[in-house]
Amino acid sequence: MAELARLKEEHRDLDRAIEALETSPVHDRLQLQRLKKRKLTLRDRIHRIEDEILPDIIA
């Protein structure tokens, strides 16, 4: 799943960007908020794709 790998990579990149902004002495709060929202959206998409690949099995 190339799309899943791409989404996970983008999620990691956003993690690093958010961390860099948060540790910066001067950061743009609006930009930080947008990055966090994008990261949450990506997380949800990743979970949906993973659920399609590995559906829940009730034993």
Side-chain angles (χ1 to χ4, degrees):
M1 295 292 303
E3 181 182 6
L4 183 58
R6 183 187 61 77
L7 292 173
K8 285 183 175 185
E9 182 178 350
E10 186 176 348
H11 190 268
R12 282 189 301 271
D13 291 345
L14 282 171
D15 239 356
R16 287 189 287 270
I18 289 168
E19 185 178 332
L21 266 178
E22 287 178 331
T23 58
S24 172
V26 177
H27 61 267
D28 182 354
R29 297 180 87 183
L30 182 58
Q31 179 67 15
L32 189 59
Q33 197 172 34
R34 287 179 180 155
L35 290 175
K36 286 182 177 184
K37 185 175 181 178
R38 173 71 179 147
K39 184 180 167 196
L40 287 173
T41 302
L42 282 174
R43 186 195 66 191
D44 291 344
R45 286 181 61 197
I46 289 168
H47 285 297
R48 270 193 306 257
I49 291 171
E50 288 176 338
D51 285 346
E52 289 174 12
I53 294 170
L54 301 168
D56 289 338
I57 298 172
I58 300 173

